Amino acid sequence: MSAANPSNPFTGQTPRQHRSGDFTPEEVGLAGRNSGLMLEGLRYDVTPAGMHYLLSHFDVPYADAAGWGVELAGTVQNPRRISLTEIQGLPSHTLRVTMECAGNGRIHMTPRFPTQPWGYEAVSTAEWTGTPLSHVLDAAGLQASAKEVAFLGADRGFDKGIEHNFGRSLTVAEARRDDVLLVWAMNGAPLLPQHGFPLRLIVPGWFGMASVKWLERIEVLDEPFTGFQQVGTYRYRSGPGDAGQPVTHMRVQSLMAPPGIPDWYTRRRLVERGPVTIMGRAWSGAGVPVVKVEFAVNAVWQPATLEPAAALELGRFAWQRWQASWAAETGEHVLTCRATDAKGEIQPIEPRWDNAGFGNNVVHRVAVTVR
Ligand SMILES: Nc1nc2c(c(=O)[nH]1)N[C@H]1C(S)=C(S)[C@@H](COP(=O)(O)O)O[C@H]1N2
Ligand SMILES: [Mo]
């Protein structure tokens, strides 16, 4: 560690190296703070708030709703502060949205990048109530030169030696979509502190990092946003030297609720022989519906029954239920599911490499013993 900059004790940190095998104490510490959806929770159409997956980079801010407001700044006609009460007075609606962390599936890449060690479980669905962001952008009055809108949270910390508030941006066109919401309620109740109380952004169809929590500042920019969470991470990169491509929408994906009962430590499943109904969920990004789910026992594929995508606005961004029948025979088995979306994208059988483990939509496999 360098002593050259006493105001930043993290500048001289050794870059993290990819690794295999045992998890580091740091990875285990992050896994204890940031929880995943317990896969049995896939049975709920809407994930109960306390079961919703969680990812917070820094500390959860201790926030007071009474004094909360959002600073509107940058290339706007009326730079101003808009209070939470004023935002809540704007026309509101509720959207059912499936949100997935871009790092979901990271531990299935070998070697893995040491950070939040997600398996399959960083995904959930909630009903978010708020006002379209466009109402607030209209109140500020965007100037013609505006290109991007940046969203800054109240949480602050360091990553790779850089001190910053968590912040992300969208192009003006994307930010103006009527499904991009400023949200104050989750599943009909005020946001929980860890999910962004008292106000967050929800960007349906995108990976979770776009949905900035504890939103306190909106900055309209004439040029691309260069905040750390926009340019220093969330890029698909083949290796450390690659500039890469931005991580944006979710990829086609499916999961199953593991059948039977688990072993406490290994999570291996025990199922009784005979007919078993397997259920799960499938989704994709950018509001693209899933059109096919397949289910395999020991790599022999069969079609699953798939609930059609909701035609209604309420469910356009929500996962779809699927189910399949299995005549379970005594022995050891591997169950697998995979989805295909309306654009013809299909989940890969083996993970695609990414330097930081982003965007892994490899098929879900569950090992089962039948007795
Ligand atoms: N301010 C702020 N917003 C944030 C984050 C954060 O650390 N700080 N994490 C992002 C990431 S990476 C994800 S996946 C989602 C997770 O939202 P949840 O914790 O409500 O499930 O929030 C996003 N918004
Ligand atoms: Mo994330």
Side-chain angles (χ1 to χ4, degrees), residues 73-77 141-150 169-172 218-226:
T75 48
V76 293
Q77 271 131 29
L142 300 199
Q143 290 178 11
S145 59
K147 292 217 165 45
E148 289 204 0
V149 185
S169 73
L170 296 172
T171 61
V172 167
I218 296 176
E219 218 169 293
V220 180
L221 304 167
D222 286 347
E223 36 192 60
F225 177 58
T226 57

Side-chain angles (χ1 to χ4, degrees), residues 257-295:
I261 57 171
D263 173 52
W264 152 243
Y265 180 63
T266 62
R267 307 314 293 180
R268 213 186 148 82
R269 317 295 306 182
L270 177 68
V271 168
E272 303 296 337
R273 68 183 286 274
V276 180
T277 299
I278 308 288
M279 74 75 60
R281 303 283 171 177
W283 66 96
S284 189
V288 176
V290 170
V291 293
K292 182 165 77 174
V293 173
E294 296 157 286
F295 170 70

Side-chain angles (χ1 to χ4, degrees), residues 53 55 57 100-104 118 122 166 207-210 234 358:
Y53 91 90
L55 194 292
H57 289 75
E100 182 185 14
C101 181
N104 200 16
W118 292 125
F166 186 93
F207 278 119
M209 75 282 162
Y234 295 115
F358 290 128

Side-chain angles (χ1 to χ4, degrees), residues 39 120 256-259 269 333-336 364-368:
L39 292 184
Y120 290 110
M256 72 186 98
R269 317 295 306 182
H333 305 283
V334 177
L335 310 181
T336 316
H364 183 197
R365 290 191 179 89
V366 177
V368 173

Side-chain angles (χ1 to χ4, degrees), residues 65-79:
W68 199 267
V70 177
E71 207 65 53
L72 299 170
T75 48
V76 293
Q77 271 131 29
N78 320 302

